[in-house]
Each structure stands twice: as C-alpha cells, then as structure tokens.
Amino acid sequence: MRYPHKDLREFIEDLRDEGELIDVNTEVDWRLEIGAIIRRLNETGGPAPLFNKIKDYPEGYRVLGSPHGYAKPYMHARMALALGLSKDTPFEKLLETIIERLGNRIKPVNVESGECKENIMLGEEADVTKFPVPIIHGGDGGRYISTWASVVTKDPDTDWVNWGMYRQAVPLKGYTINYEETTKDLPPGRILLTLLVPTGQGGMHLAKYEEKGIPMPCVTFMGGPPFAVLSSAMPLPPGVSEVEVAGAMQEKPIELVKCETQDLEVPATSEIVIEGEIPPKDRKIEGPFGEYTGYRGMPPGPRPWVKVNCVTHRDDPILPVTCMGKPVDEWCMVGSTFGSAIMTHYLRQQGFPVRIAYYPPAGVGNHLTIVSTKVPFYGYTKVLASAVWSHRFGMVGADYLIIVDEDIDPTDLNEVMWAVSTRCYPSRGIHVESGRFSYNLWPAMPPADRPIGRGSKVLIDATWPKDWPEEWIPPVMSFEKAYPESIKKKVMERWKEYGFEE
Amino acid sequence: MSDDVFVGKLEKEGDVAYVWCPFCKASCITELIEKRDGEYLLKCKMCENEHKTSEPKYYIEVK
Ligand SMILES: [Mn+2]
C-alpha cells in the first residue's frame, strides 16, 4: 500500500492492486456513456472505472469514475483504502480510526512548485473544455465538471479558507438554458455555473463579497491526495479548515502551492486547477442536475458563475467524476462514514453514552440517522434527539432519527427494523416535530416551504421504555443470547463437521 | 406585481428551456426542433422523445 497517498495516481495504483479499479480501454463517449457506466456501477457495487480512451479527446486525457463508491462485498472498501486500512476493515473500526484522527489536525506545508503546474493556460488560453467533461445524466443542463472537486474560497474578513464541494457546470449548446446569453462575452470553456447556496460555507463567503461589491476569488481543484477532495465533502462546521482535517486523515501534512492568478493555494499534486473569480450579484441559469437525493429535484435557476482566468494541469490529466443519484453514490458513502464519525464524536463529547451514530447510505448520506445507545435515565432519548438536531449536520439532516438500544448494530438495517417493529410502540415512540429547519433539496419537503427550509423531523424511539420494570422486557432469542455458553462452544467447534462452511 | 422568471424560452430552432415532457411526466430540458403554424415540435433531452404542442408548459421560477 502506498498510504499516505502523494496524489490521486498513487491511490489509483492501490485501488488497482486491491481489485477495486478496472481500466476501461474501450473508447467511451463523454456524452452520457461515461455517466451511465458509473451509475450502473454505483447500483451494482462494482469497481471504480478508469476511462483511458475518450471520444474527441487526445490519448492521456482520462476520467476516473466513482473513486470512493459503494463496493462489494466490503461496502466501505474504497474509504478504508484512502485511510490506509485494509479494505475489509469492519465499519466500527473505520469509524473509531476516523474519530481518533479527527482530534489531531495537521497544518499544511507550502512548497515552491508541483505537478499541477506542468501545464499552464492563462487568460484567453484558459479552456476547461480541454478536459473530457461529461454530460453525466440524461436531462442535465450542461457538462458537469465539478462532481468530485474542491472549491476554494476565503472569508474576506478573516483567515478562514474553506474547501467545499459545489457542483459546477460548463455551458453546452442544446443543453444549457440561455446558452447564447450565457456565453455572449466569454467562450463556454471559461465559464463555470456554480451552485452556491447561502446556507453553504462558500455561499456565506460569497454573500460577504457581494455586500462589499467585489468579485470573489474562487479556485477549483481536482485530484491530489484523496483527502484533499474528500475533506471538502465532510460535514465540518464553518471556520474549520478542511486542509488541516485532510492532513489529519492521512496523518501527514497536505503540500500546497500558490495559484497563478489568485491569492489562494491548492494541493501541489492536483490533476486540474481552475482559477477565477465570481462577479458580484451576477447570475446565469444553472441546472438542472441529477442530485444526491436520487432525483433530479431542483429546477434550473439563476446561480453565481466563475469567470475562469487560468487553468493549470498535470500531464495526462485525470478528471474524477461521481454520478449522483439513487443510492449508493459517493455522497452516501461520505455521509455514512464521515457524517457518522463526526456525529458520534460530538455526542460522546457531550457525554452521551452512545455506541455509534450511523447515517446509512439508504438515507442518502444525511436524511436518516440511527443512534445506538445505552439509555441511562427516563426521558433520555428525547434529550439525545435534541442534541442530534442541535448539531449543524443534524440540523440539515437527521429528518428521520431512529434511536435503538445498545445491543442493536445500527449499521445492520435488519436489526434496526427489527428493533423498530418490536420495541417502538407507535403512540409512545413516534414523535413528530414541525417547524424545524431541514435542507431544501429534500424531495419530501413541500415546494412552498423550500425557499426558507421549513422542515419537519421525526424521532422514532425503538428503545425499551425506561419506566418499565425489568420483567416486562422479554429476553432476545438469538444464537448469542438464547443458548448456554457450553452449547454455543460445542456448535461452533463442530460447525464444519456438520457439513457447513464458515 | 409579479416578476416571475421563465427558465428559458423557446423562440427559435435550437433554443432549450425547462418545459413539461409528457413522456417523462416531468419538466425536462427540451429543445425546440421546429415551430410552424403556431405548433412547437419539441425534443426532450432526457428521454429523447419528440412531442408537439401549441403551448409549451414552462417551468417558472417564482422570485
Ligand atoms: Mn467548511
């Protein structure tokens, strides 16, 4: 293993060695074909595809699909490999590793130059259509370049530099609404239509620049060490520096180089760096796009855009692409690993005796949260629910919050649904809250409530009631609980003798 | 006073807008193929089906 990975290429080597990557040498089309292949792999738990030959593009210009997607049989294999762990690492071990590393942030180091400077296109030379940017889903309103990328912005009033993951489209005739108007002053290769929402951290920065009436420097990078981009997708609070968390995750500082035209920095080994600025209070139509919720939900609308003034890239650049949609995609995986780690860490810090908090991929990374916990006193589950919903990541998600007893493994949905069906008495255990904030990309939210995010949450309490006497709680009839130790030992020892496999 | 914004308008061949597709049963990016005698021949970019209408049902962004 090449951990800590110097760049995306070392990670690709590891994926290939571990059977988690397939080289696709057949020529593929950037128009929908690449997207359809990645989507199908997301739905079947297949390996990451590295597309080595792309129609209309020179040899060497490549696309990496689904770098951290759902893998079989070890769902989190490509997350574990990024962390330098073996791909069959049990989930709770993965989580404890992340929690331990979260506590040890590592500052980046600055280096003079790096591979991302191998090719530099300045001003009118800059052109992002030089890369095989795909049309990812049927119905998308353009070519989406930033689906697995970090967007770097800086708070104009403090030192806080944020790395966030925000989708960015390159206008395409016949797909982008108002194409003529959109491209009247600049060619499409110098325009990134960018979804920055005011509740996001990049959006918070933009609001400050717009108040001052000045353009916001904005740089997007793809590639580099796996955590350079992964950290930008993690649900970290405002003010936290993703580059330090990325360093923590790989236990080694991220190496940064200065941009050519903006006062910002990017990982030295990035595959592609797009430098530019967002003109204040200027909007162009962006969207629609197949979203992480598994739907094409948000209609197109006026959004900020980046005026590209420089592009740098490595020789033979690799563009990483994810295909958001019906679970399981990268965002589901990020939520289920880092969302779970961050929430578990937070609840433990608050003194809650939780086993873990888990965001299953089926809840598309943030809408469903399952907490397995000891129940120390009466009324505890409601206190715990308040804590989950007070956390920033619980505020924008955890719309469905299921609390189960400590004996239930929250990562096993069969166990969780068994607990809900047998321990949650609806009139006692289901608590619906209205007038709560929820994320407005949530498809269940009534359209009229979306502009202000007027949401609703439910607590499903599947723990045994604390006010019941012990004798009311029935013993569990499982192999583990229903037999004497001597019998279990005997059965396990003779298992193969009976004729069964492991 | 309303300042609704049409998300795209279909005026000339090749224009795209976000309009209702009867096949997808959803609003989709749709291209105007031809406009003749007040009839619009449209092509959905999602399902690639063509459909005709005299009044495209636009998605309107309410400001
Ligand atoms: Mn952040």
Side-chain angles (χ1 to χ4, degrees), chain A residues 121 123-124 126-128 186 188-192 218 273-277 305-311:
Chain A
M121 300 183 271
E124 288 181 3
D127 179 7
V128 300
L186 284 173
R190 293 191 58 199
I191 297 169
L192 300 182
C218 183
V273 180
I274 307 166
E275 305 180 10
E277 50 192 37
W305 62 284
V306 179
K307 179 181 177 184
V308 175
N309 47 31
C310 178
V311 175

Side-chain angles (χ1 to χ4, degrees), chain A residues 138 174-177 288 296 299-300, chain B residues 7-8 16 18 27-28 45-46 59:
Chain A
Y175 290 82
T176 301
I177 290 171
R296 189 218 299 142
Chain B
V7 184
V16 290
Y18 204 55
S27 291
C28 294
K45 292 284 178 176
M46 169 76 191
Y59 174 82

Side-chain angles (χ1 to χ4, degrees), chain A residues 5 11 67-69 78-83 98 148-150 163-165 221 223-236 242 245-246 249 254 330-331 333-335 337-338 342:
Chain A
H5 305 98
F11 183 59
H68 303 280
R78 306 211 278 274
M79 286 293 182
L81 293 172
L83 287 159
I98 295 166
W148 198 249
S150 286
W163 289 5
M165 192 176 280
F221 69 83
F227 277 102
V229 173
L230 262 171
S231 65
S232 72
M234 288 165 61
L236 299 168
E242 279 79 10
V245 174
M249 288 298 137
I254 298 277
E330 260 74 6
W331 169 241
M333 298 303 294
V334 168
T337 40
F338 301 102
I342 287 166

Side-chain angles (χ1 to χ4, degrees), chain A residues 160-164 166 201 231-232 234 236-242:
Chain A
W160 171 34
V161 173
N162 193 64
W163 289 5
Y166 311 112
Q201 295 169 21
S231 65
S232 72
M234 288 165 61
L236 299 168
V240 169
S241 152
E242 279 79 10

Side-chain angles (χ1 to χ4, degrees), chain A residues 258-481:
Chain A
K258 284 196 179 310
C259 289
E260 297 298 301
T261 62
Q262 304 295 339
D263 188 19
L264 292 170
E265 288 154 341
V266 292
T269 61
S270 298
E271 294 291 328
I272 298 169
V273 180
I274 307 166
E275 305 180 10
E277 50 192 37
I278 299 186
K281 297 192 176 162
D282 193 9
R283 300 290 185 262
K284 292 176 185 288
I285 303 288
E286 183 271 349
F289 186 61
E291 288 158 5
Y292 80 96
T293 55
Y295 304 88
R296 189 218 299 142
M298 187 195 268
R303 314 263 150 79
W305 62 284
V306 179
K307 179 181 177 184
V308 175
N309 47 31
C310 178
V311 175
T312 76
H313 68 91
R314 293 182 69 155
D315 292 336
D316 298 333
I318 302 170
L319 174 67
V321 169
T322 65
C323 183
M324 299 291 124
K326 197 175 159 188
V328 178
D329 63 34
E330 260 74 6
W331 169 241
C332 301
M333 298 303 294
V334 168
S336 85
T337 40
F338 301 102
S340 302
I342 287 166
M343 184 58 79
T344 300
H345 185 46
Y346 162 76
L347 292 174
R348 286 178 187 168
Q349 276 183 327
Q350 302 301 310
F352 291 97
V354 299
R355 173 171 162 182
I356 60 167
Y358 182 60
Y359 286 79
V364 298
N366 59 329
H367 292 287
L368 169 62
T369 311
I370 302 162
V371 184
S372 172
T373 182
K374 277 196 178 71
V375 180
F377 53 83
Y378 178 81
Y380 166 83
T381 48
K382 282 199 144 184
V383 177
L384 177 59
S386 301
V388 170
W389 290 332
S390 305
H391 185 272
R392 192 180 158 80
F393 191 53
M395 179 184 85
V396 298
D399 303 300
Y400 285 83
L401 172 60
I402 302 176
I403 301 182
V404 293
D405 289 306
E406 196 183 27
D407 66 314
I408 300 296
D409 175 358
T411 68
D412 183 339
L413 292 186
N414 275 333
E415 282 203 22
V416 173
M417 285 299 122
W418 173 61
V420 168
S421 323
T422 57
R423 301 183 196 181
C424 176
Y425 192 61
S427 61
R428 179 191 63 226
I430 296 184
H431 308 273
V432 177
E433 300 263 332
S434 55
R436 289 261 181 183
F437 180 84
S438 294
Y439 194 45
N440 54 11
L441 280 184
W442 189 22
M445 187 184 286
D449 291 339
R450 289 175 200 172
I452 57 166
R454 184 182 6 238
S456 163
K457 311 247 186 221
V458 62
L459 163 63
I460 299 172
D461 182 353
T463 62
W464 291 115
K466 201 61 190 169
D467 53 344
W468 278 15
E470 262 179 12
E471 64 269 23
W472 288 12
I473 299 168
V476 172
M477 287 299 103
S478 62
F479 178 76
E480 178 59 31
K481 298 275 173 67

Side-chain angles (χ1 to χ4, degrees), chain A residues 18-32:
Chain A
E18 296 286 334
E20 284 293 330
L21 179 133
I22 294 285
D23 284 280
V24 179
N25 296 317
T26 309
E27 185 180 271
V28 291
D29 199 329
W30 54 272
R31 297 173 192 83
L32 296 175

